[in-house]
């Protein structure tokens, strides 16, 4: 379909969205790129001139850089493993016949809708507080000394909070994929005497491969930039300073914009690598 | 006999699934329950589950702190405004892509999505600076625009997938019937796409309501929404669990309800149609 | 009002030329059928006339005025789509009212027209229903109703009956013919079903790969097809083509003979063969005969012919009904 008239109308109607997003992408990106090559300290003299690749080398050379990369990888990796594994189990479970399936589904999905600052605070105070938290009570009940979660097991705590927030997402998407599995195929395999494990391994898992990839990619992109959970709980202390948080501190707390921008460029490159893989999958789907 | 076995199995499934479901939901449940306790009961040892003196006092206190209503209003304004603005811009764009596709349509769609992948922290300072220059820092309008922009790709994308399901022949029929382009969109396309538009609206409202990077970094006092209000409890004084719970409950309740309504469309919106 | 003239109209999608330049004239009040195999460009041609697609080159005149660049709305044509394309969120009444509302017609006048159309189309009892609550045939009638209230200068139909079951299709075919007789408005009707074409048309346009193979009345096409393609496409069962000795004897590269123009004999004839499957329809019997040289021939014999599977028979073509073709497939 389409005549010349409708094509020009289409171009016109697409223009606002395209122009806005183009501006939203290009303007700050260019500025970040520009700042990353400047010595720019807003509170200590402002723009102090050209810095070359100084900011880039200093950002990587700083003593906080490698720990922040490590923290990022541990958090992203930990959350991904937990959410995907539990997500598959939950999806398979929720797919079984049961009473009140709809309600269980709602219970499982709920954490996704809780705003990050709320979930971080609730976990921090009402569960992980070493004096009044529910965990402290449980530990004491079993005669153990309460753990100071956010300082002694800071990474584990953050991984746990974030996993709780993202488990619903993984479950929901994997459940959608499980439900599209051909049940006749499974029944045929069952008739052939395949055990549950071999059915899972040879039929279910390959079917879920695509959904798992998508969950991993999308979550990675969001997890790389988690902010509120760290901001509210540890403020980046106790080894929980991720790459994004480090950049945030460089830019807004120590007001070293040049350095922070160089870090930002690294973060953008990192996110783009993940995004390319995701775009491939989404793009393929567009053709179908 | 066979039936009994299935029923047994069903009962077992039910028991396991409900236990896990309740376990996952527990933090939310606990927050809601705590919001009805007194501060003393909130930290009582052993914890009280249901048998305490239910009170609405915390809600009253939170309500009274004069700003609460303003935070709430800011949240509503920003989430609602960015969603409506986004829809107004996205509907024509999605119409174009769905019904007048060209060779570049796919690339444009993917490019739009890719802007969503831009890490916010990478462009934080430029935006911060622009906001100062434009006088948008700590204004509801500024935040509305930013949230509209970060969610625009998702809105366009979701609408696009919904519009794709509407047969082009119906729009052509409208054209034959003498409808101009705007009438075609207003009288035919939009009413047919209402379910899709509604779920797009819902999901987007949720995402904007919960957004916690820009809302924390671009606001101070005037325009701060609930995300920032709640964050202010991270350095508390005195007993505050019950009040925190009450504030949290009020902040998440509307979204939980909306989320439950939109859960079916969630998958489509969050995976860009890659999982069906 | 209602004459349409295409001059040198062509259409390409990208590099693919779907319609090579063609000329066609449609007179006021005619019932014209575009027929041809799937993918030959019938819908595209109709959509060009409707204004839903741009011409790549050429010009379209409607009622003597140039409409090449006019929007669909301005052309004064109404279209009935294969999928009916009813507005699912509007009641039948609102559906039929839609074009009138778009034209800004006074509501009293519009209501009069809607009620009149509903009466003609037997829709009076369904006016308040939604399209989803109607049967296929009723939906089809609503689509037609939506077209007629506008009093267009011509109707365009794109395979309107292909979603209906066989019995309903015959009924609707009659209704549309009836409508044409009462309205006497120009109708252009697209179908790939040559039976529909033969039964409905005043004028048939046979399309093949975007080319117009022949334009003529149903009988003209049946009796004097200009080439092998038209000969094979028009008529059911299909014409038999024979080459070799029998063709050379008649100074042709190949000859065609319709199944109904073969005489069956038990003793002698031009061709001999064995009877394969025979289909007894009561009025007619269709025989699939395997000739001695291995080729198959279809024969339409009278219903009381009694033959057995494997029986040997002889066939004689009726000489004045034999079509002769040259090496290019053109009629001689
Ligand atoms: N928008 C388009 N872009 C590219 N090619 C197209 C387009 N529309 C149609 N075509 C091609 O043009 C040719 C003619 O299509 P058209 O729909 O006119 O056929 P048709 O005769 O109506 O067939 P059918 O009986 O199957 O409806 C086909 O080969 C088709 O693939
Ligand atoms: Mg067609």
């Amino acid at each position: 379909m389409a005549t010349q008239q409708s094509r020009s109308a289409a171009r016109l109607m697409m223009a606002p969205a395209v122009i806005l997003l183009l501006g939203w992408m290009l303007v700050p990106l260019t500025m970040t790129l520009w700042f990353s090559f400047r010595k720019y300290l807003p509170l200590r003299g402002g723009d102090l001139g050209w810095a070359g690749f100084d900011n880039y080398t200093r950002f990587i050379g700083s003593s906080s850089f490698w720990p922040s990369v490590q923290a990022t990888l541990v958090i992203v990796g930990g959350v991904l493993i937990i959410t995907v594994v539990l997500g598959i189990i939950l999806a398979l479970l929720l797919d079984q016949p049961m009473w009140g399936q709809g309600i269980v589904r709602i219970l499982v999905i709920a954490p996704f809708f809780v705003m990050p600052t709320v979930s971080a605070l609730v976990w921090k105070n009402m569960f992980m507080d070493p004096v009044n938290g529910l965990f402290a009570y449980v530990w004491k009940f079993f005669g153990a000394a309460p753990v100071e979660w956010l300082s002694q097991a800071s990474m584990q705590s953050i991984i746990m909070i974030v996993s709780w927030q993202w488990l619903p997402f993984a479950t929901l998407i994997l459940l959608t994929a499980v439900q599209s599995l051909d049940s006749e195929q499974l029944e045929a395999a069952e008739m052939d005497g395949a055990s549950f494990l071999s059915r899972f391994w040879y039929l279910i898992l390959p079917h879920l491969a695509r959904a798992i990839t998508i969950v991993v990619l999308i979550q990675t992109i969001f997890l790389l930039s988690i902010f509120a959970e760290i901001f509210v709980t540890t403020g980046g202390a106790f080894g929980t300073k991720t790459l994004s948080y480090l950049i945030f501190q460089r830019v807004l707390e120590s007001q070293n914009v040049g350095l922070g921008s160089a870090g930002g460029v690294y973060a953008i490159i990192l996110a783009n690598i993940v995004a390319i893989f995701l775009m491939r999958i989404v793009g393929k789907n567009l053709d179908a | 006999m066979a039936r009994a076995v299935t029923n047994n199995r069903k009962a077992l499934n039910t028991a396991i699934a409900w236990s896990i479901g309740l376990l996952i939901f527990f933090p939310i449940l606990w927050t809601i329950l705590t919001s009805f306790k007194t501060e003393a009961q909130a930290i009582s040892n052993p914890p009280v589950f249901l048998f305490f003196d239910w009170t609405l006092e915390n809600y009253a206190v939170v309500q009274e702190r004069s700003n609460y209503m303003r935070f709430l209003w800011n949240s509503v304004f920003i989430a609602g405004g960015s969603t409506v603005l986004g829809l107004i811009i996205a509907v024509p764009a999605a119409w174009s892509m769905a019904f007048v596709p060209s060779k570049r349509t796919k690339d444009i769609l993917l490019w739009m999505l890719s802007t969503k992948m831009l890490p916010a922290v990478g462009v934080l300072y430029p935006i911060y600076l622009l906001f100062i220059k434009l006088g948008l820092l700590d204004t509801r309008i500024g935040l509305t625009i930013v949230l509209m922009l970060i969610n625009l790709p998702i809105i366009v994308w979701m609408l696009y997938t919904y519009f794709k399901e509407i047969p082009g022949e119906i729009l052509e029929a409208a054209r034959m019937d003498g409808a101009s382009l705007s009438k075609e969109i207003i009288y035919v396309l939009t009413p047919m796409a209402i379910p899709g538009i509604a779920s797009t609206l819902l999901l987007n409202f949720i995402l904007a309501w919960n957004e916690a990077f820009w809302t924390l970094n671009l606001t101070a006092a005037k325009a701060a929404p609930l995300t920032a209000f709640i964050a202010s409890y991270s350095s508390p004084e005195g007993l505050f669990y019950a009040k925190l719970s009450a504030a949290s409950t009020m902040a998440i309740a509307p979204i939980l309800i909306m989320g439950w309504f939109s859960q079916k469309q969630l998958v489509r919106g969050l995976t860009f149609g890659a999982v069906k | 009002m209602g004459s349409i003239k295409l001059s040198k109209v062509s259409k390409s999608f990208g590099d693919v030329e779907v319609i090579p330049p063609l000329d066609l004239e449609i007179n006021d009040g005619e019932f014209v059928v575009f027929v041809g195999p799937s993918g030959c460009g019938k819908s595209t041609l109709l959509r060009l006339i409707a204004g839903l697609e741009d011409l790549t080159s050429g010009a379209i005149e409607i009622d003597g005025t140039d409409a090449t660049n006019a929007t669909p709305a301005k052309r004064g044509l109404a279209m009935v789509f294969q999928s009916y394309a009813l507005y699912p969120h509007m009641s039948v009444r609102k559906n039929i009212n839609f074009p009138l509302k778009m034209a800004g017609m006074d509501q009293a006048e519009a209501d009069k027209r809607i009620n009149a159309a509903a009466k003609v189309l037997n829709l009076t009892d369904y006016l308040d229903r939604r399209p989803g609550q109607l049967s296929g045939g009723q939906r089809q009638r609503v689509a037609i109703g939506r077209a007629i209230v506008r009093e267009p200068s011509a109707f365009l139909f794109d395979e309107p009956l292909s979603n209906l079951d066989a019995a309903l299709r015959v009924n609707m075919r009659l209704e549309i013919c009836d409508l044409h007789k009462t309205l006497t408005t120009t109708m252009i009707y697209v179908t790939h079903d040559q039976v529909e074409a033969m039964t409905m048309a005043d004028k048939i346009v046979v399309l093949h790969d975007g080319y117009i193979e022949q334009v003529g009345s149903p009988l003209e096409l049946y009796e004097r097809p200009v080439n092998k393609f038209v000969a094979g496409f028009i008529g059911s069962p299909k014409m038999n083509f024979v080459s070799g000795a029998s063709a050379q004897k008649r100074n042709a590269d190949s000859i065609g003979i319709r199944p109904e123009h073969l005489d069956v004999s038990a003793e002698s004839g031009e061709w001999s063969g064995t009877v394969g499957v025979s289909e007894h329809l009561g009025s007619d019997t269709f025989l699939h005969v395997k000739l001695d040289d291995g080729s198959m021939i279809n024969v339409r014999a009278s219903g009381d012919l009694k033959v057995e599977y494997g029986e040997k028979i002889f066939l004689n073509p009726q000489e004045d009904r034999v079509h002769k073709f040259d090496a290019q497939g053109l009629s001689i």
Side-chain angles (χ1 to χ4, degrees), chain C residues 130-148:
Chain C
R130 293 278 178 95
Q133 302 163 308
L134 298 179
S135 71
Q138 288 162 343
R139 283 181 216 185
Q140 187 59 70
R141 278 197 276 269
V142 177
I144 295 173
R146 197 171 62 182
I148 60 178

Side-chain angles (χ1 to χ4, degrees), chain C residues 125-308:
Chain C
D125 295 340
Y126 306 103
L127 279 176
D128 295 316
R129 292 211 195 163
R130 293 278 178 95
Q133 302 163 308
L134 298 179
S135 71
Q138 288 162 343
R139 283 181 216 185
Q140 187 59 70
R141 278 197 276 269
V142 177
I144 295 173
R146 197 171 62 182
I148 60 178
V149 285
R150 289 176 53 196
E151 303 182 350
S153 50
F155 292 97
L156 312 178
F157 294 91
D158 190 356
E159 307 209 19
L161 306 185
S162 58
N163 284 344
L164 301 179
D165 67 50
L168 206 52
R169 205 148 50 202
V170 175
N171 263 336
M172 284 304 297
R173 205 161 79 194
L174 290 174
E175 284 187 35
I176 293 176
C177 288
D178 232 20
L179 201 64
H180 179 242
K181 294 281 180 292
T182 42
L183 298 175
T184 68
T185 311
T186 311
M187 290 189 178
I188 305 179
Y189 186 104
V190 163
T191 178
H192 61 253
D193 178 356
Q194 60 90 27
V195 177
E196 265 176 36
M198 295 295 280
T199 50
M200 300 173 89
D202 294 325
K203 180 153 111 187
I204 297 181
V205 177
V206 183
L207 287 166
H208 183 210
D209 288 343
Y211 288 95
I212 294 185
E213 297 281 354
Q214 189 169 3
V215 178
S217 71
L219 272 187
E220 263 166 38
L221 298 192
Y222 180 81
E223 285 167 357
R224 292 184 299 281
V226 295
N227 57 28
K228 249 174 130 165
F229 175 80
V230 178
F233 193 79
I234 299 290
S236 171
K238 281 167 81 104
M239 183 184 278
N240 300 295
F241 293 106
V242 177
S243 48
S246 316
Q248 268 143 32
K249 196 176 83 187
R250 295 176 172 86
N251 296 322
D253 182 67
S254 60
I255 57 169
I257 182 76
R258 296 193 186 278
E260 53 270 40
H261 299 146
L262 283 162
D263 295 327
V264 179
S265 158
E267 292 96 36
S268 69
E270 183 164 357
W271 300 314
S272 65
T274 49
V275 176
V277 176
S278 42
E279 298 167 281
H280 298 279
L281 300 184
S283 57
D284 298 304
T285 300
F286 293 148
L287 303 178
H288 300 265
V289 179
K290 186 171 190 180
L291 295 190
D292 295 339
D293 65 3
S295 56
M296 295 294 304
I297 280 210
N298 296 330
V299 181
R300 177 180 192 161
S302 80
D304 43 29
L305 183 76
K306 296 277 181 292
V307 285
E308 298 282 317

Side-chain angles (χ1 to χ4, degrees), chain B residues 112-131:
Chain B
M112 284 190 170
L113 277 190
S114 74
T115 66
K116 177 83 193 143
M117 319 269 152
L118 210 62
V121 71
V123 294
L124 170 59
Y125 194 74
I127 299 295
Y128 185 72
L129 200 66
L130 288 173
F131 263 52

Side-chain angles (χ1 to χ4, degrees), chain A residues 1-5 7, chain C residues 47 51-54 71:
Chain A
M1 62 176 284
T3 59
Q4 199 54 48
Q5 256 153 341
R7 263 192 295 272
Chain C
R47 293 163 56 82
L52 293 169
E53 300 277 359
D54 283 329
T71 59

